[in-house]
Amino acid sequence: MKNIEIFEESKKYMPGGVNSPVRSYKDVEITPPIMKKGIGAYIYDEEGNRYIDFVGAWGPMILGHCDEDVVKAIKDTCEISIAFGAPTELELKLAKYMCTTLDNFEMVRMVNSGTEATMSAVRLARGYTKKDKLLKFAGCYHGHYEGFLVSAGSGVLTEGIPGSAGIPQENIKNTLVGQYNNVENIREVFNEYGEELAAVIIEPVAGNMGVIKAEDVFMEELRRLCDKYGTLLIFDEVMSGFRVSYMGAQSLFKVKPDLITYAKIMGGGLPCGAYGGKKEIMEKLSPLGPVYQAGTMSGNPVVMAAGLAALTKLHDNPKLYEHIEALGTKLKQGLETIAKEKSIPLVVNRCGGMMTMFFSDRDKVSCYDDVMSCDTKLFKRFFTHMLNSGFNLPPSQYEAMFLSVKHSYEDIEKFLEAFRSFEY
Ligand SMILES: *Cc1c(COP(=O)(O)O)cnc(C)c1O
């Protein structure tokens, strides 16, 4: 069947034809290609069209599609074990690997998605501090848990939904929304609510309003305020973990988190998530402590094996990150040069293997307000041009694009060529 036929049929059985809203390409008003196959940096749709992929399943495919080591780990494991709902040595292996190779990560609980990781981390923080309020930042996305769907990023930003229907006011009354990179703002929030704040959750390198790195002074002030008021600081590294470097965003700052959440890359492309941090806090989780959280599929052997294969490869081969860094530098510089030549208003933010091209005439994009200044009509034309030129990019101005270790210099040159031929 053709892409459009499959998509039309899909709409009959799945709302909007998709299982996650951003995939519908609603924002760019195009029928999405229906993907069939992925090898390395390339993906192929049902009509056999090839795309150089800069979405990478929204981050997880940092090793490229169907990496041989990850595929082997999956195949070998599922020959003998698919699920037990019982302890396995494989989950110990991944847990131990994460706790010994990552900073500030003494104990971990495996879950099945980023949403589960962040929502459980917040519950744990509330149970540990015996306080209720949560501070998140406008433009940051932490999954679709009710308490987060207030001024969220990602699909929620794209769709311009203030939050979501179906969320009782009561369930978000403990969520406060702060301004990213605004020191004055967080001082005010803590001044007023510090005593009631259980946790602050932040993407230290935001990716869900496009890529924006938090400023050092902002992070340092956050840590200081959290310490002062007995509030836990949660780094949501679901996207940035193993992405901006193996150590993730936390390695870019002097401040340490109390809890960290991971997902995306850590499952090697299979559904997964994890949250962890200080032992003293993690021991409040059931069955040791009073905070309940469970999962039939949590720590699934096939997922653990895929995750372990991916993380081991990334950890043992620093050259992979160097390659991504070199490609990223070349791409950003090239895009900036071309934009200048063609007088296209463009700000490129990049952090390791994640990058956003903001079509904005501001000098820099460093907060949610800057992001909102972007020319989404221009983005839409750019996106369509790139798709037609064989590039799979995130179909929204407010998302990050991702590099993989399988991208080549030639792929980057092709990207630049395509951008050069964009009729602005
Ligand atoms: C993707 C993402 C999530 C949600 O993860 P899911 O696996 O989609 O539930 C949470 N936080 C951040 C920072 C993310 O990028």
Side-chain angles (χ1 to χ4, degrees), residues 35-45 49-56 61 63-66 390-392 404 406-412 414:
M35 295 308 173
K36 181 172 188 180
K37 186 169 87 171
I39 308 166
Y42 306 120
I43 54 178
Y44 301 80
D45 67 17
N49 300 306
R50 190 187 87 165
Y51 306 85
I52 307 181
D53 184 25
F54 288 87
V55 176
M61 295 289 107
L63 289 168
H65 289 275
C66 296
F391 292 84
N392 186 50
S404 83
K406 296 280 165 55
H407 284 113
S408 65
Y409 284 99
E410 209 188 330
D411 295 328
I412 301 301
K414 283 187 189 145

Side-chain angles (χ1 to χ4, degrees), residues 15 23 32 60 116 130 143 168 177 192 209 229 241 248 252 282 285 316 324 327 358 373 375 396 410 421:
R23 298 175 195 170
E116 251 190 272
K130 303 197 173 68
V177 181
E192 179 135 7
M209 53 177 153
Y229 288 95
L252 305 175
M282 292 303 287
L285 277 178
D316 292 349
I324 287 178
L327 293 180
F358 292 103
S373 76
D375 186 342
S396 160
E410 209 188 330
S421 68

Side-chain angles (χ1 to χ4, degrees), residues 113-115 118 141-143 203 208 236 238-239 263-264:
S113 69
T115 297
T118 51
Y141 178 72
H142 305 291
E203 295 178 73
N208 288 290
D236 182 357
V238 165
M239 186 186 288
K264 297 199 168 112

Side-chain angles (χ1 to χ4, degrees), residues 20 58 112-118 140-144 148 154 201-208 236-240 261-264 271-273 399 402:
S20 197
W58 301 93
N112 306 294
S113 69
T115 297
E116 251 190 272
T118 51
C140 284
Y141 178 72
H142 305 291
H144 64 84
F148 295 137
S154 200
I201 188 164
I202 184 167
E203 295 178 73
V205 174
N208 288 290
D236 182 357
E237 296 236 37
V238 165
M239 186 186 288
S240 58
T261 57
Y262 293 104
K264 297 199 168 112
C272 78
E399 302 281 359
F402 299 99

